[in-house]
Amino acid sequence: MSDLEYTYAVARIRALEPSLFTSQTMEQLLACDSYDAALKFLSEKGWGDSETEGDADAVLSLERERAWEVVRDLVKDMSVFDVMNYSDLYHNLKAAIKETGVESGNARVFYKDTDISGERMVEIVREKDWFSLPAHMQEAAREATETFISTQDGQLCDVIVDRAALDAIYAAGQASKAEIIRSYAESTVAVADIKIAVRAQKTGKSLDFIKRALSPCKSLSADALAQAAVSGEDAIISYLEQTGYSAGAAALSESGSAFERWCDDMIIETIRPQKYNAFSIGPVVAYVLARENEIKTVRIILTGKLNGLADDSIRERIRETYV
């Protein structure tokens, strides 16, 4: 994009940012006395339309589509955003492998708006047409498919594909000219590694299992994190306190909910400086990530309301807002 195009795109994003939910807006949504009242509040804020009324999933899906429509209208070369969709693309690969590898009768959930649809992914896996996949997926797809067919071990299949997804995100970040994409990839992989280590520790996974699952990145030592994970939660906390993710150690010490919230808040901290950048793709990327985070937080509140959780219990899960 030229400087003029960046200037126009950023000006458009600046005009849209005030419509993002603030922490006060999230509190107002939380204060709604029922699930239906919360949906009405969202409708009054312009979320959804007549066709999605009363259907939370449809409302949130529409809002995500609207966010990407804005981006497609502003940006000619959408390849800069590919890295942000890798997680969904690799999820579709996992779902396709399990769909074709076992006759379970269970419907698999596929993400929409990916470069390869769920239906096409199933065809590729069934036909073992690996060269129809992006280069960064081919080897993982082959290995995970063969592993699942021979072992029916869904967890091992997930480890292979999830690790490949993180490696692809990191490689794309390293190759990107956009500083925000590099920062996004670094934070995404590091936080994913920390989450993997915490969950592996809680479930007693072996050192070999953990090392296979972790994706190397500059801001963390995968080996040190793996060793900490087999030593216990206190060891993970102690290691994190020595890194740039010491806030994650404090959150982990507080509670599981606080830790999960911190994981998502790290992305907001990564993109927040883009508010002050007027001559790059950064603010546009930041807007998309902010909307994704906003939609996730609204989903958390709606789910809590639907299940009758106390407001305080929901509040501790609420993510930080961009504005």
Side-chain angles (χ1 to χ4, degrees), residues 96-236:
I97 291 171
K98 293 172 183 178
E99 181 79 15
T100 58
V102 61
E103 294 297 330
S104 64
N106 294 325
R108 304 294 174 184
V109 176
F110 293 98
Y111 285 115
K112 300 178 181 178
D113 301 322
T114 55
D115 289 341
I116 301 174
S117 68
E119 294 76 12
R120 174 60 181 143
M121 192 71 81
V122 169
E123 291 178 1
I124 290 171
V125 172
R126 183 175 288 124
E127 297 169 6
K128 298 183 179 180
D129 181 18
W130 310 132
F131 289 110
S132 291
L133 295 172
H136 57 79
M137 297 186 77
Q138 292 173 10
E139 178 56 27
R142 183 199 61 76
E143 182 184 1
T145 300
E146 292 178 357
T147 298
F148 187 66
I149 290 173
S150 62
T151 67
Q152 291 296 298
D153 188 337
Q155 187 177 62
L156 184 54
C157 169
D158 289 349
V159 167
I160 294 168
V161 177
D162 289 344
R163 166 65 186 273
L166 292 176
D167 288 348
I169 289 170
Y170 201 73
Q174 292 291 99
S176 178
K177 296 179 181 179
E179 188 274 334
I180 189 174
I181 296 297
R182 295 193 298 273
S183 297
Y184 166 80
E186 184 70 38
S187 293
T188 297
V189 172
V191 169
D193 279 349
I194 295 169
K195 290 172 73 172
I196 289 167
V198 169
R199 291 170 182 170
Q201 183 274 319
K202 292 184 182 299
T203 54
K205 298 301 182 186
S206 69
L207 181 61
D208 286 344
F209 180 96
I210 299 170
K211 284 186 173 182
R212 184 170 192 175
L214 297 181
S215 178
C217 63
K218 290 180 180 178
S219 56
L220 287 174
S221 166
D223 286 342
L225 184 58
Q227 290 288 348
V230 295
S231 299
E233 186 175 288
D234 288 344
I236 296 175

Side-chain angles (χ1 to χ4, degrees), residues 29-30 34-36 38-39 42 56-57 60 295-311 313-314 317:
L29 179 62
L30 181 59
S34 69
Y35 173 77
D36 289 339
L39 283 177
L42 291 173
D57 286 339
L60 299 183
I295 291 166
K296 179 182 288 187
T297 302
V298 169
R299 185 183 296 279
I300 288 169
I301 294 174
L302 290 177
T303 301
K305 292 289 182 184
L306 184 62
N307 290 284
L309 298 182
D311 286 356
S313 179
I314 302 173
R317 294 168 169 81

Side-chain angles (χ1 to χ4, degrees), residues 1 6 9 13 64 67-89 113-115 169 172-173 176 178 180-181 184 280-290 292:
M1 291 175 67
Y6 278 134
I13 291 300
R64 190 169 191 264
W68 283 104
E69 282 175 6
V70 168
V71 174
R72 284 190 286 268
D73 186 46
L74 293 174
V75 180
K76 292 180 180 178
D77 180 10
M78 290 291 291
S79 63
V80 70
F81 296 94
D82 288 349
V83 65
M84 296 167 58
N85 293 314
Y86 280 178
S87 293
D88 289 356
L89 186 62
D113 301 322
T114 55
D115 289 341
I169 289 170
S176 178
I180 189 174
I181 296 297
Y184 166 80
S280 77
I281 195 66
V284 183
V285 176
Y287 173 78
V288 173
L289 291 172
E292 295 275 6

Side-chain angles (χ1 to χ4, degrees), residues 244-273:
Y245 304 98
S246 57
L252 184 58
S253 297
E254 181 181 340
S255 70
S257 296
F259 174 71
E260 291 294 330
R261 184 177 67 243
W262 171 82
C263 290
D264 286 338
D265 287 349
M266 272 299 301
I267 298 300
I268 294 298
E269 290 304 315
T270 297
I271 67 176
R272 198 181 299 282

